[in-house]
Amino acid sequence: MSVKTSGLQIYWLTVMGLNVRVAIRRGSDVRSKPLLLLNGIGASLEVLEGFIAAMPGCEVIIFDVPGAGKSEAPVLPWRLHTYAKLTVKILDQLGYRLVDVLGLSWGGTLAQQFARQYPERCRKLVLCATSCGSAMFPGHPSILAKMISPRRYLDKKYMSRIAGDLYGGKMRTDPAQVEKHASRVQTTSSRGYYYQLLALAIWSSLHWLHKITMPTLIVHGADDPIIPPVNAKVLASRIPNAELWLMNCGHLFMLTMPDTVAPAIREFLDR
């Protein structure tokens, strides 16, 4: 085990035959459930360190999805239910039974699948900047074209050039936010990225969203070029016990506005 300056304890687990990098930030608040964070496509766990720091006292679990960050990529593509199966096996190995689950973007689709597949393991659900999958209202084709490749994770100068148009919000006007994001990105596997993209392309939750029964908070940016905010309204209209918070921000509000987002999410989880 190693410990990062952010307080994340890093572990390596062997799960479903793959080496998976997992991190835990130990919590001090015994009233709250551990919070499982599911990251965006290709993103390493370091990307959410700022948000984790804005959730003091809460125990947090996060991992690099196979093929993202430093986790080993699977040999063959996985469907989303296999990623959910891997997630529950990670929780089993770490000894967590019941958790709150927060998913960002691609991780939001995995969070929905996890909640549907293992409802007994998910107490509350938070869906940030995400959609119902292949049935979503898509962003502009020029924006989606930038998402097809993992180039932004492999070339930080390219990331800096496209971040404003791609992520919207503060990324359009604040170069320091772009630089901070680029500095936290870890090298990702192109194969793993494309596998994640394929899993999303053949998946939709639209026909079973009404079966998600746990309390759900949906948070979305009004200036989200990747996943237009109408998708959040679709989720809120289909999930029975959901509430929607539409923010004046872009796709990466968990990174650019952690001090605003984290307390509101904490309030929802603590109710």
Side-chain angles (χ1 to χ4, degrees), residues 24-239:
I24 298 174
R25 203 279 307 278
R26 298 295 178 185
S28 57
D29 187 349
V30 296
R31 298 169 302 172
S32 63
K33 288 293 177 188
L35 177 62
L36 172 67
L37 298 182
L38 300 173
N39 219 333
I41 186 168
S44 57
L45 55 87
E46 285 81 3
V47 168
L48 289 179
E49 282 186 303
F51 175 79
I52 294 170
M55 296 282 282
C58 179
E59 183 140 328
V60 175
I61 310 129
I62 187 170
F63 64 93
D64 286 345
V65 170
K70 295 182 179 178
S71 288
E72 186 179 2
V75 175
L76 297 173
W78 285 1
R79 299 175 74 95
L80 214 55
H81 71 77
T82 307
Y83 287 101
K85 182 179 178 181
L86 173 120
T87 302
V88 84
K89 286 183 175 295
I90 289 173
L91 294 178
D92 287 343
Q93 283 202 33
L94 295 173
Y96 293 102
R97 177 64 190 170
L98 182 64
V99 295
D100 294 328
V101 179
L102 185 156
L104 169 63
S105 194
W106 186 94
T109 62
L110 176 55
Q112 293 169 58
Q113 180 66 39
F114 181 88
R116 173 81 172 99
Q117 202 166 321
Y118 303 103
E120 73 283 3
R121 305 295 292 269
C122 180
R123 187 185 71 110
K124 289 189 174 182
L125 186 62
V126 183
L127 302 176
C128 296
T130 193
S131 74
C132 62
S134 59
M136 67 177 277
F137 290 90
H140 191 279
S142 65
I143 298 299
L144 298 182
K146 295 180 174 67
M147 292 291 294
I148 290 176
S149 162
R151 181 182 173 189
R152 66 190 184 283
Y153 289 129
L154 306 173
D155 181 346
K156 293 185 179 181
K157 290 183 178 178
Y158 177 70
M159 167 77 87
S160 297
R161 286 203 307 273
I162 69 166
D165 291 339
L166 185 61
Y167 298 123
K170 289 189 176 182
M171 292 288 189
R172 295 188 190 277
T173 57
D174 189 347
Q177 292 282 356
V178 176
E179 181 64 27
K180 184 190 296 183
H181 179 48
S183 68
R184 285 178 169 163
V185 168
Q186 301 286 311
T187 302
T188 194
S189 155
S190 295
R191 175 159 53 97
Y193 185 93
Y194 290 125
Y195 284 179
Q196 283 188 263
L197 203 60
L198 178 61
L200 179 60
I202 60 175
W203 177 90
S204 174
S205 61
L206 187 61
H207 57 293
W208 51 254
L209 282 171
H210 63 285
K211 295 183 177 179
I212 293 179
T213 57
M214 63 281 297
T216 302
L217 175 64
I218 298 162
V219 189
H220 211 97
D223 178 23
D224 187 336
I226 299 173
I227 303 175
V230 63
N231 290 285
K233 296 178 181 178
V234 171
L235 293 176
S237 68
R238 298 283 293 169
I239 299 175

